[in-house]
Amino acid sequence: MFCDIGFSQVKLIAHRGAKKYAPENTIPAFLKAKELGADFVEIDVRQTKDGILVAMHDATVDRTTNGTGAVKNLTWSEVQKLDATAEWKDEYSNIPVPSFRQVVQKTKGIINLDIDFKDGNLDSVIAILK
């Protein structure tokens, strides 16, 4: 036996998806994590100015997109126009920041979610999961 708890009880969680293989907190990163054998993907959730939940770790979009500003000060329409491949220019292009609803729809039945709720309305998270 590998450890006292039994190896079958250990679960692999891909932090922000397979962020070493695809842009973090994007659908390609989440699906790649499953392909690589992850049991869960950790997703960070923040809320836009107009109440839409999005997958974004940082309080701003500056590091991971071609935009600037705090998520909470941007509308969903503004966020949808961003390219989430700022750190991946040679390998990926034109990958949008997904809404939390889109992540749930695209990963349902494929991989489990470990939700890191950063900011917004928790009732909205629960409603989407239901």
Side-chain angles (χ1 to χ4, degrees):
M1 182 172 263
F2 182 73
C3 59
D4 290 339
I5 62 169
F7 193 70
S8 66
Q9 294 178 359
V10 175
K11 300 295 181 195
L12 180 63
I13 302 173
H15 189 237
R16 300 181 210 159
K19 69 178 190 170
K20 298 289 184 189
Y21 298 90
E24 70 178 57
N25 273 318
T26 64
I27 302 298
F30 299 142
L31 298 178
K32 183 67 172 179
K34 177 61 178 178
E35 180 184 318
L36 293 170
D39 299 297
F40 287 80
V41 290
E42 182 263 355
I43 173 179
D44 301 286
V45 177
R46 293 186 178 275
Q47 188 170 302
T48 63
K49 182 178 180 178
D50 52 349
I52 303 299
L53 298 170
V54 297
M56 181 69 59
H57 176 268
D58 300 356
T60 70
V61 299
D62 300 27
R63 179 178 62 84
T64 58
T65 77
N66 61 337
T68 60
V71 174
K72 68 181 182 180
N73 294 333
L74 298 171
T75 65
W76 172 234
S77 178
E78 292 168 325
V79 171
Q80 282 182 298
K81 295 174 185 170
L82 301 176
D83 182 355
T85 63
E87 299 175 325
W88 293 86
K89 295 208 182 295
D90 294 335
E91 299 164 67
Y92 290 93
S93 64
N94 299 317
I95 295 177
V97 173
S99 71
F100 178 60
R101 182 177 302 279
Q102 289 169 332
V103 172
V104 170
Q105 290 170 340
K106 297 283 186 181
T107 61
K108 185 177 181 179
I110 297 171
I111 193 162
N112 298 302
L113 299 178
D114 175 9
I115 302 163
D116 185 348
F117 179 68
K118 300 282 189 189
D119 182 41
N121 183 337
L122 185 56
D123 290 336
S124 296
V125 171
I126 294 167
I128 290 170
L129 292 173
K130 287 182 178 180

